[in-house]
Amino acid sequence: MDAVRRQAPAGDRRPAGRQRHQLWRGIPARAVFVMDTRANTQPARRSFLSPAFVREMLAGHSALGLAFAALIYIVCLSGTVAVFTNELQRWEQPDAPVVAPGLSIDTITAVVANGHEKAKAEGAAHDLFVIGPSGSSSRLAVYFHDDASGVEGAWLANTRGELVTPIAAPWSEFVAELHTALHLPRTWGLLLVGLVGVALLSSLISGVLSHPRIFKDAFALRWGGSRRLREADLHNRLAVWGLPFHIAVSLTGALIGLSTLIVGVLALAAYDGNSEKAFSTILGPMPQADDTPAPVPDIAMMIRHVRTGSPDAEFVTANLQHVATAGQVVHLGMKTQGHLALSNVYYFDGAGQPLGDGGLETGSVGQQILGALQPVHFGWFGGLPVKLAYGVLGLALSVIAYNGVTIWLVRRRDKGRAQPGWEKAWSALGWSQPLAFAATALASLVAAAPPLSIYAGTMVAALAYARLAGDASRVGRGLRLATALAMLAAVAAHGVVWGIRPADPMALGVNAALVAIALILALPLFRKAPVAPD
């Protein structure tokens, strides 16, 4: 055996027992060592992506991420919260009636009639919009407005179709508007958010192409290494594990946000610049400019007409445009089980004559994709379990957007080109968002303060604190603790306003979730070992 060992290459470290086993099988040990050596000297398998292409993708990924990082992070985090819009509205207004899907025709007829009467009483009987309960909502709501006067109203109804209380959910509406339009003028806000979706989708694709081993190393987590390696592994692993979700929400978000631009291009390309005709092709027939008084449309007759072809179709929405005039049209949303769209829209004139439908359930591929955009983007297609999954994956996408910049800052520090000011500012921006959400929720409960003002003030205060703090780690720890305390304060304020056991059990569930999140944020800060810098 000593002779055999002398013949083996110096790099071989197999135990002697393994060598004896090979000899016992009649295979010379030297032959085994030679085969191993040859196998180890074979050239590594080349990636199908050239190193130059990977470098270009990585440079583009970094540049795109840095340019849009703040907006991507804000849109992703607010979108994660907006997934639970229905639950948050019930938390804000737990004394309002909860209505289950499957409304009777009598209830639908009553709520339309009562909504029209209320709109007339307030001088806003121009457009009437009724939203019924569905898989994503548990309320029966009526909205009305008048474009000329600017008067509008929003009410919640009970199971008998009676309007019982005005809608008062400023905080959840604020979060939804932040996600969809960043509280900019509607058209420009939607366009900017659409561009953010394009940037996010491009970053995801370039990120995958710039890391050829990203799927092979899907479970490689170097927690014991340097901070840059830890952050990079977290960034890449979260990106891979949720990649189908990330692509789906960024693509649908881009399409929703850029819808106005897309329709404009369609109008130029297919309708000689006639945007009204292009909109009517996608959104259905528009009302005529005829204000001659007419009866309120017979919604019951329209529902029965739809159910002749789809007996199990359930009411979702009714949009009565130019209601009670000769030029009115009705867009009736009805959902049939087994389809992803929130509803299919059926078009009727004021006399109840059908004018076609949107094809969102059984139409062309393009029509069905159009119907699937909103439910796929917000996770409004599978009840609370799907919403919870979207919440977790949306939070992961927010972390990806945030720590991408963190990786860049840590890399600069490792190279001796630290930017402590930018490190503190980025930490402040990151933690100011959950803090601002908690602060606006608290303010809407105790002072009815405008959420946008509180949101902007919280961000300014966080940046001012960052300027005074010693380093980014201290900024992160301070704002993290402030976020946890603000969440607990919001829960306490909710208990004072609505009682420890609110009428709607969903409010109790939201309070429990807020307490759990606050504890998750705060408890690590009190450990003896310091947490990783933010």
Side-chain angles (χ1 to χ4, degrees):
M1 291 302 298
D2 291 338
V4 171
R5 290 192 183 96
R6 284 195 296 272
Q7 292 174 350
D12 191 276
R13 294 292 183 269
R14 283 179 294 187
R18 172 70 181 274
Q19 296 166 2
R20 286 195 295 271
H21 178 65
Q22 297 288 359
L23 288 172
W24 176 80
R25 294 183 59 187
I27 302 175
R30 182 176 178 82
V32 174
F33 294 141
V34 170
M35 287 188 291
D36 288 348
T37 303
R38 287 177 180 173
N40 292 335
T41 57
Q42 288 181 353
R45 193 173 188 180
R46 288 188 175 182
S47 171
F48 69 95
L49 299 176
S50 68
F53 178 81
V54 170
R55 285 195 299 271
E56 291 175 0
M57 285 293 102
L58 184 58
H61 178 71
S62 300
L64 194 60
L66 291 172
F68 285 89
L71 286 176
I72 291 176
Y73 173 67
I74 292 172
V75 170
C76 288
L77 189 60
S78 60
T80 302
V81 180
V83 168
F84 303 97
T85 297
N86 172 61
E87 289 74 20
L88 296 176
Q89 288 174 340
R90 292 173 61 178
W91 177 78
E92 283 192 87
Q93 207 169 1
D95 62 336
V98 176
V99 181
L103 295 176
S104 68
I105 290 181
D106 290 340
T107 298
I108 300 167
T109 302
V111 76
V112 169
N114 292 331
H116 182 246
E117 291 299 322
K118 177 62 71 173
K120 285 197 303 181
E122 298 190 12
H126 188 262
D127 293 328
L128 183 68
F129 190 38
V130 178
I131 303 179
S134 62
S136 61
S137 176
S138 303
R139 295 281 170 85
L140 177 56
V142 176
Y143 298 86
F144 48 82
H145 73 275
D146 185 279
D147 290 332
S149 65
V151 178
E152 59 185 14
W155 287 74
L156 293 174
N158 58 21
T159 54
R160 296 184 298 275
E162 301 166 342
L163 307 189
V164 294
T165 182
I167 294 177
W171 179 63
S172 52
E173 292 172 1
F174 159 78
V175 174
E177 183 66 17
L178 178 66
H179 176 67
T180 56
L182 295 170
H183 288 277
L184 298 173
R186 190 70 177 174
T187 300
W188 293 107
L190 283 172
L191 179 61
L192 180 57
V193 171
L195 292 175
V196 170
V198 172
L200 176 57
L201 181 61
S202 302
S203 296
L204 291 169
I205 295 173
S206 61
V208 171
L209 293 177
S210 63
H211 297 83
R213 293 174 54 90
I214 194 169
F215 293 103
K216 186 175 181 180
D217 296 337
F219 297 96
L221 293 170
R222 292 166 290 189
W223 293 115
S226 66
R227 185 188 176 194
R228 182 174 65 84
L229 292 178
R230 293 197 310 270
E231 294 284 355
D233 281 350
L234 179 64
H235 184 84
N236 295 336
R237 298 303 82 80
L238 291 180
V240 170
W241 296 341
L243 188 59
F245 166 84
H246 304 330
I247 291 177
V249 297
S250 58
L251 178 59
T252 54
L255 291 174
I256 293 172
L258 298 176
S259 57
T260 303
L261 180 62
I262 293 171
V263 171
V265 173
L266 175 65
L268 290 173
Y271 297 100
D272 298 325
N274 190 337
S275 59
E276 183 176 347
K277 188 173 182 180
F279 272 107
S280 65
T281 300
I282 297 175
L283 303 178
M286 298 290 108
Q288 302 300 313
D290 187 348
D291 294 333
T292 304
V296 175
D298 188 349
I299 294 294
M301 181 180 66
M302 299 176 187
I303 294 174
R304 293 189 184 98
H305 174 82
V306 172
R307 287 178 176 170
T308 57
S310 303
D312 60 339
E314 292 186 355
F315 172 84
V316 178
T317 61
N319 186 5
L320 291 76
Q321 302 177 38
H322 296 195
V323 61
T325 68
Q328 64 190 339
V329 296
V330 178
H331 292 185
L332 179 65
M334 302 283 288
K335 180 173 179 59
T336 304
Q337 296 302 317
H339 298 284
L340 191 57
L342 294 178
S343 67
N344 189 31
V345 184
Y346 301 85
Y347 311 127
F348 297 87
D349 64 16
Q353 294 300 313
L355 303 175
D357 71 279
L360 302 181
E361 291 184 340
T362 58
S364 66
V365 173
Q367 289 172 313
Q368 293 189 51
I369 290 175
L370 184 63
L373 289 180
Q374 193 174 23
V376 169
H377 185 72
F378 288 102
W380 293 344
F381 59 87
L384 188 58
V386 172
K387 289 184 180 181
L388 292 174
Y390 264 63
V392 173
L393 292 169
L395 183 60
L397 188 55
S398 304
V399 172
I400 292 169
Y402 176 76
N403 81 337
V405 176
T406 302
I407 293 168
W408 180 77
L409 291 170
V410 172
R411 185 184 294 121
R412 288 184 64 88
R413 178 172 287 277
D414 291 345
K415 292 180 179 180
R417 294 181 294 169
Q419 297 283 339
W422 283 109
E423 290 174 3
K424 292 193 297 181
W426 183 244
S427 183
L429 176 69
W431 282 107
S432 70
Q433 295 308 299
L435 174 58
F437 291 156
T440 50
L442 174 61
S444 66
L445 285 169
V446 300
L452 184 58
S453 300
I454 303 299
Y455 173 81
T458 303
M459 289 186 63
V460 170
L463 292 172
Y465 169 69
R467 186 176 179 83
L468 298 175
D471 53 35
S473 175
R474 184 167 297 179
V475 172
R477 289 173 62 85
L479 294 180
R480 182 172 174 171
L481 180 59
T483 301
L485 294 176
M487 287 183 174
L488 294 176
V491 172
H494 192 275
V496 172
V497 174
W498 297 107
I500 302 299
R501 296 178 63 87
D504 189 344
M506 180 59 70
L508 195 61
V510 173
N511 279 333
L514 290 175
V515 171
I517 294 171
L519 293 177
I520 291 172
L521 291 176
L523 290 180
L525 300 176
F526 296 98
R527 293 176 181 172
K528 292 183 179 180
V531 298
D534 292 282

